[in-house]
Amino acid sequence: MKSLTKAEKRNFKLYATRAGATTDSKFIQLFDLVDRLDESNDRLITKRLHLTPGKYSNLKRHLYQQVLTSLRLIFINKEVDIELREQIDFSHILYGKGLYLDALRSLERAKGKAVEHSRDLLHLEILEFQKLIESRHITLSRQIDNKMDLLLNESAARSYSVLNTSELFNLNIQIHGRYIECGHSRSATDRRENETFWRSIQTRRADREIASDTFHQKINRFQASMWYHYIQLNFDDALESAMNALTLFRLSTHMTVKDPDLYLRCLYYVSVFAYLTGDGHRMRKYHRVIDTFLCNDQILLNENSQRIGAIYRSLMTLNGYFHAQDWSGAATYAERLRADYAASLFQPTDHRWGQFLYKFAAVCFVRRNYTEAIDYLNEIINMKSGILREDLLLNTRLLHLLCHYELDNRALVDYHLTNFTRQMRRSSETAGVHRLAATALRKLIRSATAEQGEIYHELDRSLRQSVDADPFERKALLYLDLTQWTGLHLGPAQAAGSVPTRPWQKRVPSGPSGA
């Protein structure tokens, strides 16, 4: 009930009383009671309403169904899928009453809207229902030249299209799942295995672009390619695939309104890969695009789209500050987000909030506010739901160690290093950067101040050599730039002098981050 707006609550009360219920009805009493409580309390509710556990369970289910039904009446004019399904339901009612021609006319109107909004599955369902009516009853449709042939051809074409869409969805999900299960390619063997997997999941319809592909088929094709290149650590190719997907929205501008969630996701992917390739101009460009889109009063976004948009825009904003190394601006923006989150004005999932907390901690670390950074990092470590990204958790633990080291908490560093080493052995996302940092920290806490300069120097040199040789190490350094930390202790001249600057280093955003 807490997710309902005031207008939605008012609409529910009107709907419930219009349906013949009164304010004395148990489910309305339950609605009012739950709405008044700050948090759900089953024991208090059953006591107040004099309900047994069985009756309470049934009443909750009934209330839930009534609330959803009332919401359906609101969203029917906002969601084309709901409107189309209602038209199909009406056609079934007409058919059940023997009004075959009326049912066909209703289906024809719904079919036009399904085509207009690229709802292939609903379009196919409408065609199959039309075929059922035509096959079982005399509708005089054959008196119209080629009408039945056109219906059959349209059904066959739509069936093929739906199958192609399903296979491309599968392709996208499978390659994304490969990343979740196996992570990035770490060696030549990994790259060959991932390439073999990529080829194995292609199908006759999905392995080449077809001119008749629908909008969503093309999107899934490009996004699957993007994930494959990301797994292989080919950020430039991944950016190109993300741009191809976004270009489809520029060619079909009406789809930005019809599928805003996908449009926002495409904008975010382009921004992330622009960040990973150091393309600041492109980052700023698409930050302006998403900002303009979300601030456009003419575009009516539902709550889910607004929430997704706010998350993506905030991540893009923070990445922009990291790329520009505007730590003061990043700190101010972090404070604002933190306040909005506390006031429930900003509502990311726990996983996404973990990303924000890491970025906040990174800003504090660069600004040498180590105690505040530890507070953010502890919040990530103690999350009950856990963090889905292993690389983020590894970087969190390492940044946690660095903060304690800077605060001269050597006993704590020594204690946590043991746990961090154990975690590195278990994780598939462990990079050489993490191992080098852990080894250096162990040496630092056991050495005299006069001996530490050489340890920093050796760490700086090893980091630059490892990232120069391995793209996986370069990605790890993007999320936690330890060369900046060694530079603070060595001084810019010594740190830069250890290894000549490489071309990729000119594009690497400085400071720890987590795109």
Side-chain angles (χ1 to χ4, degrees):
M1 306 304 168
K2 301 303 179 184
S3 64
L4 298 177
T5 65
K6 289 183 178 179
E8 289 168 348
K9 291 175 183 177
R10 184 170 59 253
N11 179 77
F12 169 75
K13 297 296 285 288
L14 290 172
Y15 165 78
T17 53
R18 185 181 61 184
T22 66
T23 55
D24 295 330
S25 297
K26 282 289 186 183
F27 76 92
I28 296 181
Q29 291 179 33
L30 176 59
F31 178 87
D32 292 334
L33 183 54
V34 172
D35 188 36
R36 287 197 299 269
L37 294 175
D38 293 330
E39 58 183 29
S40 181
N41 187 329
D42 291 343
R43 183 176 297 179
L44 176 62
I45 292 172
T46 53
K47 184 179 178 181
R48 289 269 187 92
L49 298 180
H50 307 290
L51 297 170
T52 63
K55 289 183 178 179
Y56 176 51
S57 178
N58 290 334
L59 189 61
K60 279 199 301 183
R61 190 182 303 111
H62 178 65
L63 173 60
Y64 188 63
Q65 184 176 0
Q66 293 298 317
V67 169
L68 288 178
T69 303
S70 72
L71 288 175
R72 190 178 190 274
L73 295 173
I74 297 177
F75 283 91
I76 196 166
N77 294 322
K78 301 178 182 178
E79 299 287 344
V80 68
D81 290 45
I82 299 176
E83 184 178 352
L84 285 171
R85 288 193 183 95
E86 184 183 57
Q87 288 300 315
I88 295 172
D89 292 343
F90 288 164
S91 300
H92 277 283
I93 293 171
L94 292 169
Y95 176 74
K97 294 182 70 64
L99 303 173
Y100 313 132
L101 297 180
D102 289 337
L104 285 173
R105 281 192 288 270
S106 176
L107 288 170
E108 196 66 34
R109 287 194 297 271
K111 184 170 69 175
K113 181 156 286 190
V115 172
E116 180 188 353
H117 291 270
S118 303
R119 295 300 190 266
D120 290 348
L121 279 173
L122 290 171
H123 183 189
L124 181 60
E125 184 179 346
I126 291 167
L127 290 170
E128 292 303 308
F129 193 17
Q130 284 182 311
K131 285 162 58 179
L132 182 146
I133 297 174
E134 295 286 0
S135 67
R136 294 184 180 180
H137 307 281
I138 299 173
T139 61
L140 305 180
S141 294
R142 291 192 180 275
Q143 293 182 356
I144 303 173
D145 289 343
N146 299 324
K147 182 171 182 179
M148 291 305 300
D149 291 335
L150 289 172
L151 176 62
L152 295 176
N153 290 337
E154 185 180 5
S155 175
R158 191 52 50 203
S159 296
Y160 183 87
S161 178
V162 168
L163 177 59
N164 194 19
T165 299
S166 178
E167 289 181 344
L168 286 166
F169 260 121
N170 293 346
L171 180 70
N172 194 1
I173 292 170
Q174 284 177 293
I175 194 65
H176 187 203
R178 178 77 172 184
Y179 168 67
I180 293 172
E181 292 174 7
C182 304
H184 292 287
S185 297
R186 302 289 300 273
S187 62
T189 302
D190 288 346
R191 283 188 282 277
R192 284 194 299 272
E193 288 179 355
N194 284 323
E195 184 178 358
T196 301
F197 176 80
W198 172 245
R199 289 177 178 174
S200 72
I201 62 176
Q202 306 287 329
T203 66
R204 182 172 59 84
R205 281 170 289 273
D207 62 358
R208 67 188 186 278
E209 187 166 355
I210 304 172
S212 60
D213 273 357
T214 65
F215 176 85
H216 287 99
Q217 289 168 2
K218 292 176 182 177
I219 284 281
N220 276 291
R221 189 190 304 280
F222 289 135
Q223 288 194 341
S225 175
M226 178 196 76
W227 281 113
Y228 169 68
H229 291 306
Y230 182 56
I231 289 173
Q232 300 288 54
L233 295 167
N234 298 326
F235 296 149
D236 289 321
D237 290 339
L239 175 59
E240 183 180 352
S241 295
M243 283 299 303
N244 287 337
L246 187 59
T247 299
L248 293 176
F249 280 99
R250 289 208 294 270
L251 296 175
S252 305
T253 53
H254 63 285
M255 292 303 297
T256 61
V257 179
K258 292 180 179 178
D259 198 344
D261 295 1
L262 183 59
Y263 178 57
L264 291 167
R265 185 180 294 272
C266 287
L267 286 171
Y268 175 66
Y269 283 152
V270 168
S271 179
V272 166
F273 288 112
Y275 175 78
L276 292 175
T277 55
D279 191 342
H281 173 74
R282 197 171 308 218
M283 289 174 66
R284 291 187 293 273
K285 175 182 177 180
Y286 289 104
H287 184 273
R288 290 194 296 270
V289 171
I290 195 171
D291 198 52
T292 301
F293 181 75
L294 292 174
C295 294
N296 190 342
D297 294 334
Q298 300 301 313
I299 300 174
L300 301 177
L301 300 176
N302 60 31
E303 291 178 43
N304 185 57
S305 299
Q306 291 174 18
R307 185 177 293 116
I308 289 172
I311 292 169
Y312 287 157
R313 177 168 58 180
S314 300
L315 286 169
M316 290 164 70
T317 301
L318 282 171
N319 283 344
Y321 283 126
F322 275 93
H323 183 270
Q325 299 185 43
D326 182 2
W327 309 118
S328 177
T332 302
Y333 189 72
E335 289 175 7
R336 197 179 92 190
L337 280 182
R338 184 77 176 179
D340 287 347
Y341 181 79
S344 298
L345 299 175
F346 181 59
Q347 298 177 314
T349 61
D350 287 347
H351 168 66
R352 286 292 186 190
W353 185 236
Q355 286 183 274
F356 282 105
L357 290 172
Y358 179 79
K359 289 178 182 291
F360 299 165
V363 172
C364 293
F365 181 77
V366 173
R367 290 167 59 85
R368 304 189 185 187
N369 298 330
Y370 302 118
T371 302
E372 187 177 352
I374 288 173
D375 290 339
Y376 287 129
L377 296 167
N378 282 335
E379 194 170 338
I380 299 173
I381 293 169
N382 295 325
M383 273 188 173
K384 293 180 180 179
S385 59
I387 295 295
L388 297 178
R389 282 179 51 176
E390 284 191 34
D391 59 339
L392 182 61
L393 190 54
L394 278 170
N395 289 332
T396 296
R397 295 280 187 181
L398 181 53
L399 196 58
H400 190 259
L401 285 168
L402 295 175
C403 289
H404 277 300
Y405 173 78
E406 292 295 338
L407 292 173
D408 204 27
N409 298 329
R410 297 198 175 199
L412 278 174
V413 174
D414 190 32
Y415 173 76
H416 288 301
L417 261 174
T418 303
N419 293 330
F420 181 62
T421 304
R422 195 178 297 120
Q423 183 183 358
M424 284 194 296
R425 284 199 296 266
R426 292 196 306 262
S427 176
S428 61
E429 288 294 319
T430 302
V433 168
H434 300 119
R435 295 190 183 93
L436 289 170
T439 302
L441 277 173
R442 198 172 292 283
K443 291 179 180 178
L444 286 168
I445 62 175
R446 295 174 181 175
S447 62
T449 304
E451 301 170 350
Q452 291 178 350
E454 182 57 34
I455 298 173
Y456 287 122
H457 189 79
E458 177 61 28
L459 175 60
D460 187 79
R461 181 169 59 248
S462 299
L463 288 170
R464 293 173 186 273
Q465 288 174 346
S466 66
V467 298
D468 184 55
D470 189 345
F472 184 79
E473 300 297 331
R474 291 203 286 273
K475 174 180 175 288
L477 201 65
L478 280 171
Y479 291 151
L480 184 59
D481 190 355
L482 294 177
T483 59
Q484 188 179 57
W485 177 65
T486 57
L488 290 174
H489 290 277
L490 288 173
Q494 286 181 289
S498 58
V499 173
T501 302
R502 307 297 182 185
W504 68 267
Q505 288 175 314
K506 296 177 183 177
R507 298 187 288 116
V508 172
S510 186
S513 179

